[in-house]
């Protein structure tokens, strides 16, 4: 587990879906308000999914408890308890007809194994993957964290096999080793994939802690799996929220560019009064009072209602994403950079990238609109096969009027998609290089044009969630000695009246002191320190601005350096940067 919260964050999870039948009853205190937890519709959504009997999931949990009891009280990676858990899941899946691969994770404790299970059939270029971590912490058997996600996922896979539907897309399941040591198993798996194999995975959902005794229903993500989860929970009138806890194996996939989601019923954070009104339970108490403790055992630390609901949510998402009608051909269009500035009579370029998002690749014709008089836009080539790229050239004549313009780039195939490019035509006179100087200022093209420490720029959630868009730069937040850096060099023209560096900064800390700056973020232009922030400056996203006029006529490196001590975490999150010259 990657630790980036005050409670070390839950190994969170994404719930993937079906219809609900809950035959066992939890205590009234654990049941969400207004829900009986007894039964649920046999058919939800566009395709009929099998109904999961929660008693089957509980039988798997009893097996994991027995395995832990027989192996020193836990199922931690590198122990006999984890090995036995792998064998149990492997045998169940192979008997049901899955193609099972045991991948040795050489970076995990004891070279533990990941379990990868593929159900035959479906378009492997359109794969939907669902996962959970099969290890526990050494303190206990790990029945909620994450026996609940592992066993619900197992039963969903077994029910898919029993129904044996026609597969339109490919279904793959994964049970990870080493999650509690830092997402090691899932990182090892993702790093073993080729670029084509990563592209084939259209969405990944991870399921972690889905039966917390005082929990809620957290669906965190915008990928196809999360969409189906919310659709299912809406159908049974169970409200969901986005979690602020983190982290789990979705991060390994998201950092590789695979759309991912993380969902759970909560870990060590405390339930609010508003959440009690929504779901029932006890305000001011942890979602899971046995999080990472010996008391995370079966059956005492399992909420049967949420376990059953999530098991059926898993089945619903698997079924509706992978069975039935074959996917329509579709694609996406993006630009890098998304803005540029030119002097009249000159030109600039950007890369137009396309990707196949479903179905098969197709021809995409490129065009542009919105260019003012004196500005022309061309593409080389003028059409691409989705997955390819083209160079866009924006040319201006000497008569082009100064100003800022929005150019819309459109890709036309079986459907139409577009992206926008902001063009600044500089004015004449002394200031001949006005405009935005940062490339990829909002990180929406990933780490393009930035120099970073590993993992700083990403599609982050929780403490690292972006201010706008889907990407942000998240420095520190580990709760241990760590240094992160982020930088980009810009060239500033002479003769302009204003040179401004701006960015939005969010600081989230677990430090309780009001006097000591344990963790610090230093903002520099070249060797000049502009400001130093610390855990004492904790706040939500706040606009920060600095005058860079002293660097006119120079190429200067804007650098952010975050230094964290060995104690409690502080996260420095940056978004929507700009170096604006006018």
């Amino acid at each position: 587990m990657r630790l980036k919260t005050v409670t070390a964050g839950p190994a969170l999870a994404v719930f993937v879906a079906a219809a609900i039948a809950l035959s066992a009853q939890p205590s009234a205190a654990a049941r969400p308000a207004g829900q009986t937890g007894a039964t649920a519709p046999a058919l939800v959504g566009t395709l009929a999914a099998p109904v999961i009997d929660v008693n089957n999931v509980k039988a798997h949990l009893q097996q994991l408890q027995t395995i832990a009891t027989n192996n020193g009280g836990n199922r931690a990676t590198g122990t006999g308890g984890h090995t036995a858990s792998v064998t149990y899941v492997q045998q169940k899946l192979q008997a049901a007809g899955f193609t099972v691969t045991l991948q040795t994770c050489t970076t995990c404790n004891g070279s533990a194994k990941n379990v990868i299970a593929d159900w035959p059939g479906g378009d492997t270029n359109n794969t939907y993957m669902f996962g959970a971590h099969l290890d526990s912490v050494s303190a206990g058997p790990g029945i909620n964290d994450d026996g609940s996600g592992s066993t619900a996922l197992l039963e969903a896979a077994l029910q898919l096999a029993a129904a044996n539907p026609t597969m339109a897309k490919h279904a793959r399941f994964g049970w990870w080793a080493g999650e509690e040591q830092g997402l090691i198993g899932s990182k090892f798996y993702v790093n073993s994939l080729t670029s084509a194999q990563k592209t084939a995975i259209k969405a990944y959902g991870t399921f972690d802690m889905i039966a917390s005794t005082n929990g809620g229903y957290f669906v965190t993500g915008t990928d196809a799996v999360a969409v189906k989860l919310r659709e299912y929970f809406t159908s049974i009138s169970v409200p969901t929220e986005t979690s602020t806890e983190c982290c789990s194996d979705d991060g390994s996939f998201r950092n590789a560019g695979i759309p991912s989601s993380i969902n759970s019923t909560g870990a060590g954070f405390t339930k609010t009064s508003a959440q009690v009104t929504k779901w029932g339970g006890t305000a001011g108490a942890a979602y899971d009072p046995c999080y990472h403790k010996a008391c995370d055992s079966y059956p005492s630390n399992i909420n049967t209602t949420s376990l059953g609901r999530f098991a059926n949510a898993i089945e619903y998402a698997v079924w509706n994403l992978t069975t039935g009608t074959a996917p329509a051909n579709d694609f996406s269009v993006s630009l890098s950079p998304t803005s540029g500035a030119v002097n009249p009579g000159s030109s600039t370029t950007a890369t137009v990238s396309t990707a196949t998002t479903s179905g098969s690749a197709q021809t995409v014709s490129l065009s542009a609109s919105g260019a003012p008089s004196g500005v022309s836009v061309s593409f080389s080539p003028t059409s691409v096969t989705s997955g390819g790229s083209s160079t866009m050239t924006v040319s201006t004549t000497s008569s082009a009027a100064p100003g800022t313009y929005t150019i819309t780039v459109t890709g036309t195939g079986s459907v139409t998609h577009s992206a926008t490019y902001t063009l600044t035509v500089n004015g004449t006179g002394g200031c001949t290089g006005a405009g935005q100087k940062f490339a990829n200022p909002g990180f929406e093209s990933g780490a393009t044009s930035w120099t970073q420490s590993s993992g700083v720029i990403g599609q982050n959630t929780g403490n690292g969630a972006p201010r706008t868009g889907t990407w942000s730069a998240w420095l520190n937040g580990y709760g241990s000695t760590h240094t992160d850096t982020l930088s980009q060099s810009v060239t500033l023209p002479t003769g302009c009246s204003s040179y401004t560096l701006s960015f939005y900064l969010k600081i989230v800390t677990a430090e309780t002191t009001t006097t000591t700056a344990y963790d610090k973020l230093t903002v520099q232009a070249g060797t000049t320190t502009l400001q130093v922030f610390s855990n004492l400056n904790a706040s939500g996203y706040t606009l920060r601005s600095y005058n860079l006029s002293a660097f006119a006529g120079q190429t200067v490196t804007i650098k952010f350096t975050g230094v964290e001590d060995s104690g409690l975490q502080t996260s420095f999150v940056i978004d929507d940067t700009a170096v604006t010259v006018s």
Side-chain angles (χ1 to χ4, degrees):
M1 177 186 299
R2 188 182 186 190
L3 306 182
K4 274 205 172 187
T5 66
V6 67
T7 59
L12 295 187
V14 167
F15 325 127
V16 201
I20 245 175
L22 305 178
S23 56
Q25 300 296 311
S27 65
R31 184 178 298 127
Q35 300 297 323
T36 65
T39 61
L43 172 62
V44 182
T46 57
L47 299 172
V51 174
I52 300 292
D53 184 344
V54 71
N55 287 313
N56 292 343
V57 184
K58 293 166 70 177
H60 298 314
L61 281 173
Q62 179 62 70
Q63 291 298 316
L64 294 188
Q65 177 63 59
T66 300
I67 287 171
T69 300
N70 293 339
N71 288 276
N74 68 75
R75 300 180 300 105
T77 297
T79 68
H82 182 260
T83 300
S85 300
V86 167
T87 299
Y88 177 76
V89 171
Q90 174 195 12
Q91 292 176 346
K92 289 288 185 181
L93 293 166
Q94 287 179 330
F98 279 86
T99 300
V100 179
T101 301
L102 296 186
Q103 180 190 49
T104 300
C105 173
T106 58
T107 56
C108 294
N109 291 348
S111 294
K113 298 185 186 300
N114 293 323
V115 182
I116 314 298
D118 286 85
W119 181 246
D123 179 9
T124 55
N125 288 322
N126 285 276
T127 295
Y128 288 87
M129 191 167 183
F130 312 88
H133 71 87
L134 196 51
D135 63 326
S136 73
V137 293
S138 58
I143 291 301
N144 185 36
D145 183 13
D146 182 36
S148 61
S150 290
T151 56
L153 188 68
L154 174 61
E155 187 61 23
L158 297 179
Q159 290 303 316
L160 176 71
N164 193 20
T166 299
M167 303 298 291
K169 304 175 188 178
H170 189 67
R172 180 177 300 152
F173 301 83
W175 287 262
W176 312 117
E179 193 275 351
E180 297 290 5
Q181 286 75 48
L183 320 183
I184 300 174
S186 57
K187 289 179 183 177
F188 186 87
Y189 170 76
V190 171
N191 288 339
S192 74
L193 300 176
T194 65
S195 296
Q197 289 170 333
K198 293 174 185 176
T199 300
I201 302 175
K202 302 307 178 186
Y204 169 79
T206 202
F207 314 88
D208 198 338
M209 303 184 68
I210 60 173
S212 302
T213 55
N214 190 42
Y217 293 82
F218 300 103
V219 178
T220 307
T222 58
D223 63 295
V225 171
V227 169
K228 287 301 176 185
L229 296 178
R230 293 189 181 94
E231 185 178 287
Y232 176 77
F233 283 115
T234 297
S235 76
I236 61 169
S237 301
V238 173
T240 61
E241 290 183 6
T242 297
S243 177
T244 58
E245 291 183 296
C246 82
C247 301
S248 193
D249 298 296
D250 61 299
S252 300
F253 287 79
R254 185 179 299 108
N255 290 338
I258 299 170
S260 306
S261 49
I262 177 172
N263 303 268
S264 76
T265 50
F269 279 21
T270 55
K271 180 173 277 189
T272 66
S273 297
Q275 290 171 334
V276 170
T277 300
K278 184 180 296 185
W279 296 314
T282 303
Y287 300 125
D288 180 358
C290 289
Y291 174 54
H292 282 186
K293 298 178 181 178
C295 60
D296 185 10
S297 60
Y298 184 82
S300 61
N301 200 44
I302 288 295
N303 180 334
T304 298
T305 296
S306 61
L307 180 67
R309 284 178 174 150
F310 272 123
N312 278 280
I314 292 171
E315 190 70 26
Y316 175 83
V318 172
W319 193 269
N320 281 275
L321 286 171
T322 62
T323 68
T325 305
N329 297 335
D330 203 355
F331 65 92
S332 63
V333 175
S334 61
L335 292 167
S336 179
T338 57
S339 63
V342 295
N343 296 325
S346 61
S347 63
T348 187
T349 62
T351 300
V352 183
S353 298
T354 64
T356 301
T357 57
S358 66
S360 302
Q362 60 182 290
T363 300
V364 179
S365 299
L366 300 172
S367 60
S369 59
S373 177
V375 176
S376 61
V377 182
S378 62
F379 301 93
S380 179
T382 57
S383 65
V384 298
T385 300
S386 55
S389 61
S390 173
T391 299
M392 178 181 73
T393 301
V394 182
S395 301
T396 65
T397 66
S398 58
S399 62
T404 299
Y405 307 94
T406 298
I407 296 174
T408 300
V409 176
T410 300
T412 303
S414 60
V415 293
T416 298
H417 294 290
S418 62
T420 57
Y421 181 83
T422 302
L423 173 68
T424 300
V425 179
N426 298 325
T428 59
C431 184
T432 58
Q436 160 65 267
K437 297 304 173 182
F438 268 151
N440 187 23
F443 311 110
E444 295 305 303
S445 296
T448 301
S449 302
W450 291 91
T451 299
Q452 61 158 348
S453 300
S454 176
V456 168
I457 296 175
Q459 291 179 296
N460 299 308
T461 59
N463 286 346
R467 174 180 174 269
T468 60
T470 59
W471 294 74
S472 63
W474 186 355
L475 289 83
N476 305 118
Y478 291 87
S480 59
T481 302
H482 190 85
T483 298
D484 277 332
T485 59
L486 174 72
S487 64
Q488 184 177 148
S489 297
V490 295
T491 299
L492 303 180
T494 59
C496 301
S497 61
S498 176
Y499 303 79
T500 303
L501 164 67
S502 64
F503 57 90
Y504 281 86
L505 174 63
K506 177 172 68 173
I507 303 175
V508 181
T509 187
E511 302 285 1
T512 58
T513 179
T514 59
T515 58
T516 305
Y518 290 112
D519 310 314
K520 299 178 181 180
L521 176 73
T522 302
V523 184
Q524 293 176 288
T527 59
T528 302
T529 297
L530 302 177
Q531 190 167 355
V532 178
F533 299 92
S534 74
N535 50 279
L536 301 178
N537 306 119
S539 67
Y541 275 115
T542 303
L543 179 63
R544 310 290 182 173
S545 299
Y546 306 89
N547 184 356
L548 299 182
S549 59
F551 302 95
Q554 303 176 36
T555 297
V556 62
T557 298
I558 306 301
K559 185 175 182 180
F560 304 87
T561 303
V563 178
E564 190 173 16
D565 72 356
S566 60
L568 300 172
Q569 71 87 23
T570 300
S571 296
F572 301 98
V573 190
I574 297 167
D575 203 1
D576 299 326
T577 67
V579 172
T580 307
V581 178
S582 61

